[in-house]
């Protein structure tokens, strides 16, 4: 993603848009810039630059994601109704209902009058509702937030910390859930240095000192890889390196006792080939050249992640016993891996009208569920309790578990076979008695891992789930269903004890 740099101009934005959409109406983009410049006249940011430069930086990040002109224009205008005398009606009159609708959505996500936990809850609630109504609004908000994070040095440290923490806790996980890997990584890295400054410096230093010596080695491996793939008859290949994001590296270090030698994808090699068949051919060539590490081959093409991510991953012993991870994908898979749901808008919008609806229904059902929950729960205490469960469902690291037929079930990390059973069907959850994981009988509280194949054994005569399951289930759906059925079962039992109910 080629984002904004210091001194980015509207001409840079237009040039970027024209590079992927030759038919884009540049006069409309210029008009939006003039409108924003006039509306924000006399306003300056804490950095001292004219406010409109923030609007340009936001638009440039969106253009760097190859998004359509309507979103670029909304990016330029996103702060107008909230911070100037110009209204949404003015925007609609000049730029049409689609742009005005997106700007209205961003305005609703605007300033919050709450503090502490209240602020956090309200922010999450607004993000969930905005996603359910028009996910483009959240994509523009990410671009806006990213530029704010890049200029945090200009604001008081306490405020900078709050903005960074909110970004790390809310914006980055939602970007990840939407498959926007690059945006997630950028938001995390920009926030990390303000939330955990010492850990940031330590991780960056470790990555620099460890990675410095490997750059030359990796360049040689990439050159050799391209050579062996071309020699095998593969054409139109791209091979390039990918350094790990700093915050992502920090989290992996914590999981591996801070030992960087146990992290195999510090510098991954990406291979981009024209077709799916070429992906598997490339994998075969790499395994024919170097020895793969056992258990490190992942086929996300045959079984994509629920957020749409597809690739082949393999980790191999290269020259001198060095361990290198390869990620193999087509250009289309690469677009989805980098931009996630935003990739749906990277084509001609008319072609997308039909396709995006199908994709969205499949990829983002959880958004609608969250929005419904926001509408249903008005009691504050009940909402905070439900929010904790939502955070586990939505923000926790995800695992991808399979049914015996090969269907992928997306669950929070450390979910149990009971969570899996409820994810398939409520009745299967209610009546499950035992589970097989990878063909071995296991307890119902057994923590599942990505790649596990799970089979649930049910007892059709079972009346209700076991209330003890509440001590280990992870998903909100399983927890609420067990509570509901347990209460119903208890009421039936009490009713049975009452006089006159014994025949």
């Amino acid at each position: 993603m080629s984002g904004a740099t210091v001194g980015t101009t509207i001409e840079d934005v237009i040039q970027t848009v024209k590079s992927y959409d030759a038919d884009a109406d540049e006069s409309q983009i210029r008009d939006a810039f003039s409108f924003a410049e006039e509306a924000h006249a006399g306003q300056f940011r804490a950095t001292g630059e004219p406010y409109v430069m923030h609007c340009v930086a936001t638009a440039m990040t969106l253009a760097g994601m190859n998004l359509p002109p309507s979103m670029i224009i909304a990016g330029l205008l996103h702060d107008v109704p909230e911070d100037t005398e110009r209204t949404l009606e003015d925007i609609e009159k000049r730029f049409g209902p689609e742009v005005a609708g997106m700007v209205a959505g961003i305005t609703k996500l605007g300033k919050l009058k709450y503090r502490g936990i209240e602020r956090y809850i309200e922010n999450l609630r607004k993000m969930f509702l905005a996603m359910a109504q028009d996910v483009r609004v959240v994509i523009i908000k990410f671009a806006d937030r990213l530029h704010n994070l890049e200029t945090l040095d200009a604001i008081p440290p306490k405020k900078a910390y709050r903005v960074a923490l909110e970004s790390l806790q809310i914006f980055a996980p939602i970007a990840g859930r939407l498959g926007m890997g690059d945006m997630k990584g950028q938001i995390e890295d920009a926030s990390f240095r303000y939330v955990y400054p010492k850990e940031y410096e330590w991780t960056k230093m470790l990555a620099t000192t460890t990675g410095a010596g490997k750059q030359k080695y990796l360049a040689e491996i990439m050159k050799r890889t391209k050579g062996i793939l071309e020699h095998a008859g593969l054409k139109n290949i791209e091979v390039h390196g990918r350094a790990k994001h700093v915050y992502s590296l920090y989290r992996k270090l914590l999981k591996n006792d801070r030992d960087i030698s146990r992290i195999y994808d510090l510098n991954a090699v990406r291979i981009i080939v024209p077709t799916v068949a070429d992906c598997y051919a490339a994998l075969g060539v790499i395994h024919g050249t170097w020895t793969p590490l056992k258990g490190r081959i992942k086929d996300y093409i045959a079984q994509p992640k629920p957020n749409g991510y597809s690739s082949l991953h393999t980790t191999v012993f290269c020259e001198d016993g060095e361990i290198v991870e390869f990620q193999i994908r087509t250009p289309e898979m690469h677009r989805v891996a980098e931009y996630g749901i935003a990739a749906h808008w990277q084509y001609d919008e008319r072609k997308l009208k039909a396709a995006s609806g199908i994709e969205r229904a499949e990829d983002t059902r959880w958004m609608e569920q969250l929005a419904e929950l926001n509408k249903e729960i008005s009691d504050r205490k009940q909402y905070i309790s439900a929010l904790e469960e939502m955070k586990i469902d939505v923000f926790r690291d995800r695992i991808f578990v399979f049914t015996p037929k090969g269907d992928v079930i997306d669950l929070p990390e450390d979910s149990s076979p009971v969570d899996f059973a409820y994810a398939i069907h409520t009745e299967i959850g209610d009546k499950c008695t035992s589970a097989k994981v990878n063909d071995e009988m296991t307890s119902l509280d057994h923590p599942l891992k990505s790649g596990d194949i799970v089979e649930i054994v049910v007892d059709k005569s079972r009346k209700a789930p076991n209330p003890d399951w509440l001590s280990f289930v992870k998903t909100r759906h399983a927890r609420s269903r067990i509570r509901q059925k347990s209460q119903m079962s208890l009421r039936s039992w009490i009713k049975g004890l009452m006089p006159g109910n014994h025949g």
Side-chain angles (χ1 to χ4, degrees):
M1 183 190 297
S2 53
T5 54
V6 176
T8 299
T9 67
I10 193 62
E11 294 307 320
D12 297 325
V13 174
I14 289 167
Q15 199 176 341
T16 305
V17 174
K18 296 293 271 186
S19 71
Y20 62 83
D21 184 356
D23 299 327
D25 185 350
E26 60 183 271
S27 65
Q28 268 210 317
I29 298 171
R30 282 187 214 282
D31 191 26
F33 170 71
S34 300
F35 187 93
E37 188 176 39
E38 197 181 305
H40 290 292
Q43 294 179 356
F44 294 88
R45 301 190 85 225
T47 56
E49 65 182 1
Y51 194 91
V52 76
M53 296 319 296
H54 166 66
C55 307
V56 172
T58 301
M60 189 63 187
T61 296
L62 297 166
M65 294 163 72
N66 293 9
L67 291 167
S70 59
M71 290 179 75
I72 310 299
I73 290 166
L76 286 165
L77 304 173
H78 75 273
D79 275 335
V80 166
E82 192 173 16
D83 293 337
T84 80
E85 290 176 6
R86 296 296 183 96
T87 64
L88 276 167
E89 287 74 22
D90 296 332
I91 290 172
E92 183 165 358
K93 214 175 283 180
R94 191 136 152 199
F95 300 99
E98 186 185 14
V99 168
M102 285 187 270
V103 175
I106 298 157
T107 306
K108 283 178 195 166
L109 284 173
K111 292 185 175 69
L112 298 169
K113 58 182 181 288
Y114 304 97
R115 294 199 175 278
I117 186 70
E118 296 277 1
R119 180 188 182 88
Y120 182 77
I121 289 166
E122 184 61 12
N123 211 330
L124 262 184
R125 193 184 69 80
K126 284 188 169 185
M127 287 287 280
F128 291 153
L129 286 170
M131 281 191 298
Q133 285 158 10
D134 186 349
V135 79
R136 291 177 301 175
V137 166
V138 177
I139 295 167
I140 297 166
K141 188 66 186 173
F142 288 153
D144 162 53
R145 177 54 62 107
L146 188 58
H147 186 246
N148 285 335
L149 288 168
E150 287 163 356
T151 52
L152 282 184
D153 279 344
I155 65 174
K158 271 190 178 176
K159 188 179 179 187
Y161 172 82
R162 180 181 60 69
V163 172
L165 184 65
E166 182 180 86
S167 304
L168 208 53
Q169 290 184 335
I170 298 175
F171 285 77
I174 290 175
R177 200 70 169 85
L178 294 174
M180 299 174 69
D182 191 52
M183 178 61 78
K184 176 178 184 274
Q186 287 192 67
I187 290 173
E188 283 178 340
D189 285 0
S191 307
F192 184 24
R193 57 185 283 239
Y194 292 95
V195 180
Y196 307 111
K198 286 179 183 170
E199 291 87 340
Y200 173 80
E201 291 302 332
W202 170 73
T203 310
K204 203 169 178 196
M205 182 271 295
L206 197 61
T208 305
T209 52
T210 310
K214 289 192 175 180
Q215 289 308 312
K216 194 177 174 188
Y217 175 84
L218 207 67
E220 286 298 318
I221 291 296
M222 287 192 287
K223 189 178 172 185
R224 173 137 194 240
T225 301
K226 192 162 190 198
I228 61 173
L229 291 174
E230 284 174 344
H231 183 72
L234 289 161
K235 293 181 171 64
N236 302 318
I237 308 157
E238 283 178 47
V239 179
H240 50 82
R242 180 212 39 90
K244 202 161 185 62
H245 282 289
V246 184
Y247 186 68
S248 175
L249 173 59
Y250 170 67
R251 288 190 62 194
K252 274 215 168 175
L253 283 163
L254 293 185
K255 283 184 181 176
N256 288 279
D257 303 321
R258 297 181 177 247
D259 182 358
I260 201 161
S261 68
R262 286 163 62 183
I263 295 168
Y264 302 140
D265 62 343
L266 183 61
N267 286 299
V269 174
R270 270 199 193 127
I271 299 168
I272 299 175
V273 289
T275 68
V276 170
D278 291 337
C279 290
Y280 288 102
L283 182 72
V285 171
I286 287 162
H287 285 175
T289 308
W290 296 297
T291 306
L293 264 76
K294 194 181 173 189
R296 296 280 305 178
I297 302 163
K298 292 170 185 167
D299 187 345
Y300 294 120
I301 294 177
Q303 301 287 3
K305 292 184 180 183
N307 65 13
Y309 179 88
S310 287
S311 266
L312 293 176
H313 290 198
T314 186
T315 306
V316 301
F317 291 102
C318 283
E319 274 80 0
D320 307 323
E322 287 278 355
I323 293 170
V324 177
E325 180 181 274
F326 288 88
Q327 298 170 355
I328 309 164
R329 55 180 71 151
T330 65
E332 174 57 23
M333 290 174 199
H334 185 59
R335 260 196 297 274
V336 172
E338 294 289 290
Y339 304 120
I341 203 162
H344 298 328
W345 282 276
Q346 288 181 331
Y347 309 97
D348 184 286
E349 283 177 280
R350 285 163 303 198
K351 290 178 196 164
L352 253 170
K353 294 295 180 191
S356 63
I358 298 162
E359 293 285 359
R360 195 166 172 276
E362 185 56 38
D363 290 343
T364 58
R365 278 171 300 188
W366 55 277
M367 288 187 202
E368 277 81 2
Q369 289 162 8
L370 291 171
E372 283 307 310
L373 192 75
N374 279 301
K375 288 171 191 167
E376 283 167 20
I377 300 176
S378 52
D379 177 70
R380 185 180 171 279
K381 272 188 182 173
Q382 196 188 352
Y383 187 82
I384 290 173
S385 164
L387 179 71
E388 285 308 307
E389 293 172 9
M390 279 198 298
K391 277 162 57 186
I392 290 169
D393 278 10
V394 178
F395 291 169
R396 198 168 181 150
D397 286 346
R398 311 299 292 180
I399 59 170
F400 310 103
V401 184
F402 302 109
T403 68
K405 290 181 179 176
D407 295 325
V408 185
I409 304 296
D410 167 20
L411 294 166
E413 196 176 40
D414 294 330
S415 287
S416 66
V418 175
D419 294 293
F420 174 87
Y422 276 109
I424 294 170
H425 195 281
T426 303
E427 204 165 314
I428 292 175
D430 288 346
K431 296 184 182 298
C432 75
T433 53
S434 60
K436 279 185 184 177
V437 176
N438 305 323
D439 277 336
E440 287 184 18
M441 292 301 293
T442 187
S443 61
L444 287 176
D445 63 353
H446 172 80
L448 299 174
K449 298 191 297 292
S450 268
D452 282 346
I453 299 167
V454 184
E455 187 179 346
I456 300 296
V457 180
V458 297
D459 175 0
K460 289 183 180 177
S461 62
R462 184 171 195 141
K463 293 283 188 288
N466 185 340
D468 294 346
W469 294 349
L470 288 169
S471 65
F472 60 78
V473 292
K474 295 289 184 283
T475 55
R476 183 178 176 276
H477 174 54
R479 188 172 282 113
S480 62
R481 180 68 182 182
I482 295 163
R483 282 191 195 127
Q484 182 193 357
K485 289 293 280 188
S486 299
Q487 285 165 0
M488 284 166 62
S489 183
L490 183 63
R491 278 198 294 269
S492 303
W493 181 73
I494 292 167
K495 196 177 174 186
L497 293 177
M498 289 169 72
N501 284 328
H502 298 286

